[in-house]
Amino acid sequence: LYEVVVGGEIFYTDEKASFLVLGSIVNLATKENITELRMRQINRVNFADLPLDSAIKIVRGNGSRKVAIFEDPNCGYCKRFERDLAGVTDVTVYVFLYPILSEGSMAKSRAVWCAPDRAKAWMDMMVRDMAVADGTCSAAPIEKNLAFGQSKRIQGTPTIFFEDGDRVPGVMSMADLEKKLSSARNAKVSAK
């Protein structure tokens, strides 16, 4: 079989391209989903390539571990994740406003981005269910996030990126997040 990657999707074909195989390839000896592993590799993003100047930076504790999250202010899963994430220490969280769920998402994102204290406005909206006053600043950073997200095929929120480049679409438990934050940090330190 030959692996074919088109638009971030993986397909398989034979040598003459007579047959196209859709779905996952699993190594029966190890029970490892080879396709899933390759998808994680293909969807990796170099953390340094993230447009961090367009993110809201929230530092907790010493901020030694880093994570980037693309979120929509109207995303219920994002709100739940933010509430849980508030208890995680020694982390720097980069929140990328990614208003893709409804028309109101852009207005809420702009209100947060234009607030004098973006981190407080984001936490007020997501954790404390407080409204944030409308903003009138440029939406260019939000547009930059949307363009970046589309180029990386971010199709849902939250989408989480770790320092080691791994990407997790959707919510994860805090136990899994803690493990991944530690392993991503250790992988980055070992690579130096």
Side-chain angles (χ1 to χ4, degrees), residues 7-173:
E9 298 293 323
I10 297 177
F11 305 101
Y12 302 95
T13 188
D14 62 332
E15 186 175 287
K16 295 180 182 180
S18 301
F19 298 95
L20 183 66
V21 179
L22 307 173
S24 295
I25 302 291
V26 176
N27 181 331
L28 293 177
T30 64
K31 310 283 191 274
E32 183 176 38
N33 184 328
I34 303 300
T35 306
E36 185 179 298
L37 175 65
R38 284 291 295 137
M39 285 298 293
R40 284 198 314 266
Q41 292 169 343
I42 289 168
N43 288 316
R44 292 175 70 83
V45 170
N46 183 347
F47 204 84
D49 292 342
L50 292 168
L52 298 178
D53 60 325
S54 297
I56 299 167
K57 184 177 178 181
I58 302 170
V59 179
R60 295 189 180 102
N62 66 23
S64 60
R65 304 176 299 170
K66 294 183 177 87
V67 64
I69 310 168
F70 283 72
E71 297 185 86
D72 185 298
N74 285 323
C75 168
Y77 293 108
C78 298
K79 285 185 180 209
R80 188 180 84 208
F81 189 67
E82 280 292 343
R83 288 179 178 130
D84 292 343
L85 187 61
V88 176
T89 59
D90 297 336
V91 65
T92 299
V93 180
Y94 294 95
V95 175
F96 290 88
L97 299 170
Y98 198 64
I100 60 171
L101 295 180
S102 70
E103 286 183 33
S105 296
M106 180 54 105
K108 287 180 179 179
S109 293
R110 183 188 296 256
V112 169
W113 187 256
C114 295
D117 184 341
R118 294 175 183 147
K120 181 184 179 312
W122 179 251
M123 296 307 289
D124 284 348
M125 183 179 290
M126 299 302 280
V127 175
R128 294 180 271 288
D129 291 321
M130 295 170 60
V132 175
D134 288 341
T136 56
C137 66
S138 170
I142 300 168
E143 296 293 339
K144 186 176 180 180
N145 294 346
L146 288 167
F148 180 86
Q150 289 167 354
S151 75
K152 300 299 181 191
R153 293 181 356 275
I154 298 174
Q155 298 172 339
T157 57
T159 296
I160 308 164
F161 291 95
F162 294 92
E163 284 183 276
D164 64 0
D166 277 356
R167 166 189 192 153
V168 174
V171 176
M172 55 192 312
S173 73

